Structure formats: structure tokens, C-alpha cells
Amino acid sequence: MIELTDEFKKKVLAALAEARERYDGSDAGFAKKYGINKSVYSEIKKGKVDKKINPGKWLELGRSLGVSLNERKWNMARTDVYTMIEEDVVFCKEFSKSMMFVDECAIGKTYSARYLSRTLKNCFYIDATQCRQERSLIRAIAKAVGGELDGTLEEVKESAKYILNILPRPIVIIDEAGALSYSSLLLLHEFWNGTQDCCGWYLMGSDGLRTKLQKGKGTSRKQSYKELFSRFSSKYNHIVPDEPGERELFFRNLIGTVLSVNIKDKHKINKIVNQCLATDSQEAETGLRRAETLLILNEK
């Protein structure tokens, strides 16, 4: 059994306190976001944590708040990918707009989105691979924003919309949006309409999202996809170049930037970057995942 140290618990509590400062809803709503009983959260705020949270819940909170049991920490690097996503998200948040970012895997999209959700006020992250169908997506959005989870699906949905309409400048980031079913994409259309001018929306994905929307516009569902597409600026933002030379330079800079804040021996950076890019083009596309593996191997 994993032993949860007092140090880990302190880090989780500190992260929970920071998360509370970034959420402008009620204590009850905040407790719902993290699946904590309202009265238990009230005790935790007073520093009374003994036997209030079971080990499984400590681990769940740690994962949600980005607190790891491992000593090794992956530091955030301000890459071109992160900068572009940050600029998009901040714009959508400030002006209650919607955009889409569709690009290749393993360039740091998910890491950037999760990081922003833990640093910006009223910024909510949804992993669509965990809630592909309409029912689960409704509950995922409601939980993320601190809405009611009891009652009918319609009541849960309306609760989430209400919160997104009253919070100051909220934004919802839907990651891996290509995993969503057709009915779930229509649900986003409904949420957009129900929170217009009050909430920002940001869809992220890889080729799967682009393919789904493009194919959808050529089917009997054409009008529904067209309307959804128009609400998300009618275009896909992306950053990875198509031209081979520019592409290699992009990955070289991306991997080098991330390694520079995560490696002790800076002399190894070029070696690891070259190892990442010395393979065939398909493997080079694994980008930061391969870089992290090579970093661990080179630090042994």
C-alpha cells in the first residue's frame, strides 16, 4: 500500500487553498468541484484534516491539483505551443469568445491546458476522452464548474449553465474534443448558446477533431456541424509547420526549450534533441513524450 506522507498531504492542502482563490463560486460549489462533502471542506479550511479524508481521496485530489507523489517534477516551459494556447485562452476568457486549436500529438497541448486551468481564475479543464457521451459530458462540465450533480440531467445541465453565466469571465477548455460523440458536440452547441457573451469556450484536439468536423459538414448533419463550427471562429488554429525543414526546426526548438528547464546537465540537451529527431519522421512526431523518456534515461 502506498504510504501518504504528511508532506504530500500538506502540498495537497496548499494546492487546494490556491485553487479556492482561483474559483469565484461559493464554498459549496468549490467542494462539489473536488467531490468533497461541504461540511468536511468546512473543517478542512479550519485546518482539521485528521481522518476527514481517506487515502484514495488524497490521491484523487493530488492528481486533480497537479501534486505528485514522485519527487521528480516536470517543470513548465514557456514554449511556442504554450504561448499560443495561453494567448488564445486568455482572449476567449476576457471577451467570452470561442476558438479551436487542432494540431499534432505530443507537442504539449494537454500540459498547457491543464497548467492554465490551475493558474487562471475560473478556468475549467475537461478531458473529453473521459466523457465521450452526452450524459457523462453534462456531468463532467457540471462537476468542473461546481454545479449540482443531483437531480435529472436537465437540472444538472441548467445548474452548470447558471454558474457559467454568473461567474466573472469563466472559460471551459475541452481537450481531446475529437473523442466526443455527435450528440455531445451538439451539447457544446447548446452550452455555447446558453452562455453566450458570458463564458469562453476552447476546443482542443488533433487530426481526429478536424476529420470529424469536416466529415460532418458533408453528411445529413451538415447544418448542425456548420453552426457549431461557426461558433468556434470557423477555423482551426495550429502551430506545427508543414514544410519539412521548418518542421524539424520547430521540434528542435520545442524539445530544447522544455529540456532546458527540466535537466540538470545542460550539456546533454543537444544530445537528447538529436536522439529525438534522428529517427524516422513518424517517431519524431512523438515529440515531448519521447523527450521525457530520453531525459529520464540520460539522468540515470
Side-chain angles (χ1 to χ4, degrees):
M1 181 180 291
I2 297 175
E3 181 180 352
L4 300 180
T5 64
D6 289 339
E7 183 64 24
F8 172 75
K9 293 178 181 179
K10 287 178 182 178
K11 288 180 179 179
V12 170
L13 290 174
L16 193 65
E18 290 176 5
R20 181 65 186 96
E21 293 178 3
R22 296 190 300 272
Y23 178 69
D24 286 321
S26 65
D27 275 358
F30 183 75
K32 289 188 181 76
K33 270 176 59 64
Y34 291 98
I36 305 172
N37 180 277
K38 183 171 66 174
S39 61
V40 170
Y41 177 65
S42 179
E43 293 294 296
I44 290 173
K45 283 182 62 179
K46 300 173 186 175
K48 301 176 182 179
V49 298
D50 188 38
K51 298 181 180 179
K52 299 294 182 183
I53 305 176
N54 64 46
K57 192 62 184 180
W58 278 112
L59 291 172
E60 180 187 329
L61 288 171
R63 285 192 298 271
S64 299
L65 296 163
V67 179
S68 175
L69 279 170
N70 301 320
E71 291 184 8
R72 192 179 190 290
K73 181 183 178 183
W74 192 249
N75 296 314
M76 196 283 287
R78 186 168 282 277
T79 64
D80 290 342
V81 174
Y82 173 81
T83 298
M84 185 173 189
I85 291 175
E86 180 187 43
E87 288 175 354
D88 285 353
V89 168
V90 169
F91 172 81
C92 291
K93 178 176 169 26
E94 290 300 309
F95 298 99
S96 300
K97 298 299 182 182
S98 304
M99 298 172 71
M100 284 186 289
F101 185 84
V102 180
D103 219 319
E104 297 183 16
C105 300
I107 60 172
K109 298 191 301 296
T110 293
Y111 183 92
S112 299
R114 287 184 181 276
Y115 183 86
L116 289 168
S117 73
R118 292 196 290 261
T119 53
L120 293 177
K121 265 203 168 190
N122 303 323
C123 180
F124 310 108
Y125 174 87
I126 305 288
D127 177 0
T129 65
Q130 305 303 308
C131 49
R132 299 168 189 264
Q133 302 303 319
E134 183 179 358
R135 175 184 293 270
S136 54
L137 180 59
I138 289 172
R139 297 186 66 81
I141 294 175
K143 186 175 188 297
V145 305
E148 290 293 339
L149 296 176
D150 297 326
T152 66
L153 277 181
E154 194 65 28
E155 289 169 340
V156 172
K157 182 168 57 178
E158 292 307 310
S159 169
K161 288 181 192 174
Y162 173 75
I163 290 173
L164 289 172
N165 276 298
I166 64 171
L167 287 176
R169 297 187 181 88
I171 182 165
V172 180
I173 301 174
I174 309 288
D175 193 11
E176 302 286 2
L180 294 175
S181 66
Y182 172 67
S183 62
S184 294
L185 287 171
L186 288 188
L187 177 68
L188 292 183
H189 184 175
E190 179 186 339
F191 264 100
W192 190 98
N193 285 348
T195 60
Q196 186 176 359
D197 298 326
C198 294
C199 178
W201 293 85
Y202 195 66
L203 263 60
M204 291 184 10
S206 53
D207 287 339
L209 175 59
R210 183 190 290 113
T211 299
K212 178 168 286 188
L213 291 177
Q214 288 177 342
K215 283 186 176 180
K217 289 192 290 182
T219 67
S220 60
R221 298 165 173 171
K222 177 179 179 180
Q223 189 58 34
S224 296
Y225 278 105
K226 184 177 179 181
E227 290 178 358
L228 176 68
F229 195 51
S230 71
R231 283 160 173 75
F232 284 84
S233 299
S234 297
K235 67 176 184 178
Y236 315 98
N237 287 347
H238 69 95
I239 193 169
V240 178
D242 294 323
E243 196 278 322
E246 294 180 359
R247 179 186 177 82
E248 179 178 340
L249 180 60
F250 168 84
F251 276 102
R252 187 173 292 278
N253 289 335
L254 175 71
I255 296 167
T257 300
V258 172
L259 290 175
S260 68
V261 296
N262 284 285
I263 194 170
K264 295 178 181 178
D265 187 351
K266 308 298 182 185
H267 295 95
K268 292 183 178 181
I269 292 178
N270 285 336
K271 173 188 173 184
I272 297 175
V273 171
N274 289 332
Q275 285 178 318
C276 286
L277 301 179
T279 57
D280 60 42
S281 60
Q282 183 66 30
E283 192 167 2
E285 289 177 2
T286 60
L288 296 179
R289 294 195 184 102
R290 178 167 171 76
E292 183 176 14
T293 299
L294 290 170
L295 173 60
I296 294 170
L297 291 174
N298 275 272
E299 286 188 338
K300 285 185 177 181

